[in-house]
Amino acid sequence: MYMTTIDNRPQLVSRLRGHIVEVPEEARAASGIVINGRRIKTLMFTTDIAIIRNCDADAVLAVYPFTPQQTISDAIIQSASIPVFCGVGGGTTQGTRTAMLAWNVEAQGAMAVVVNAPMSNEDISRIYQVVDIPIVVTVLNEHTDIGARLAAGATILNVSAAERTPEVIRKIRQDYPHVPIIGTGGPTSKTIRATVEAGANAISYTPPSTKELFSTMMDDYRTRD
């Protein structure tokens, strides 16, 4: 273990675990969303447990393109050392099943549940009736009826509009200046900065793939004698 100082902040780094996936510093400029006393500014968008255990994000955005399964959410929540925002459906998985999944992941220890854009307001209401944690609703464009989402029980908006994310956030902010918003940060420091400036309270960051991380490490190993 050794110590460095960055911006007057002591940094303690493990000799064996100092190599981590870091969220770009620009994301730290976000105001954050405080949930039960814990401030969340950055979320690592991944289900890779190795990355989850070796990153500096404030939380995990564990959403994946398959039907949500308890065994997956349990493995992520039990392995993570940071809070987990857990996907419970919205596209293929809807109806009563999503409410049951939401109840289960809360019992497993998730900080919030996440639903995808196709989720109906009726299903959001069902989830709202059974959980006592935030409901994060994904927004893909400015045409979403935000008022109806909030009335149904949405607590946080997760704006995922690719390169248009800052634009969509800016439009939402015109009518809903205080609603908590997570914004997709994009691939560069510039896009992250633009998302924060548009009004995102927190940034979701997609880490490099395991292949990319290994490639950088192996290049370094090859230069050694």
Side-chain angles (χ1 to χ4, degrees):
M1 182 72 68
Y2 62 91
M3 186 181 80
T4 61
T5 302
I6 300 177
D7 296 331
N8 294 319
R9 293 173 297 178
Q11 306 282 320
L12 299 176
V13 181
S14 166
R15 181 175 61 86
L16 298 178
R17 287 175 286 185
H19 174 61
I20 62 173
V21 178
E22 299 183 63
V23 177
E25 189 64 25
E26 286 76 9
R28 300 293 176 187
S31 65
I33 300 170
V34 179
I35 302 175
N36 293 327
R38 185 187 289 265
R39 186 185 298 271
I40 306 297
K41 291 188 176 186
T42 59
L43 299 98
M44 191 67 66
F45 177 35
T46 185
T47 54
D48 188 318
I49 291 175
I51 290 177
I52 291 170
R53 291 291 304 184
N54 293 276
C55 73
D56 70 347
D58 300 321
V60 179
L61 185 63
V63 180
Y64 48 92
F66 308 104
T67 296
Q69 299 175 49
Q70 286 180 307
T71 186
I72 296 174
S73 59
D74 186 58
I76 293 171
I77 292 167
Q78 295 304 316
S79 299
S81 57
I82 52 179
V84 178
F85 288 44
C86 198
V88 293
T92 303
T93 308
Q94 299 188 19
T96 303
R97 183 180 180 89
T98 60
M100 294 172 59
L101 287 165
W103 185 88
N104 283 323
V105 299
E106 179 185 12
Q108 290 168 342
M111 174 174 271
V113 295
V114 185
V115 299
N116 214 333
M119 179 72 73
S120 70
N121 291 326
E122 290 76 16
D123 284 342
I124 292 173
S125 294
R126 289 191 184 97
I127 295 172
Y128 181 76
Q129 296 301 317
V130 299
V131 301
D132 188 41
I133 54 178
I135 302 172
V136 182
V137 176
T138 302
V139 175
L140 303 182
N141 55 57
E142 65 273 31
H143 304 301
T144 301
D145 188 340
I146 301 298
R149 290 308 213 189
L150 297 175
T155 318
I156 300 170
L157 304 180
N158 174 39
V159 180
S160 180
E163 69 276 359
R164 296 188 62 248
T165 295
E167 178 185 346
V168 174
I169 291 174
R170 202 171 291 112
K171 290 182 178 180
I172 292 173
R173 277 280 174 249
Q174 293 174 1
D175 295 322
Y176 302 94
H178 303 300
V179 66
I181 294 177
I182 300 169
T184 302
T188 68
S189 296
K190 181 178 179 181
T191 58
I192 290 173
R193 189 181 304 111
T195 304
V196 172
E197 291 174 351
N201 302 107
I203 293 294
S204 68
Y205 174 70
T206 303
S209 68
T210 301
K211 177 182 177 181
E212 292 171 309
L213 293 170
F214 253 125
S215 177
T216 300
M217 181 179 291
M218 295 306 291
D219 286 344
D220 177 58
Y221 289 166
R222 293 185 187 103
T223 62
R224 300 183 185 182
D225 293 332

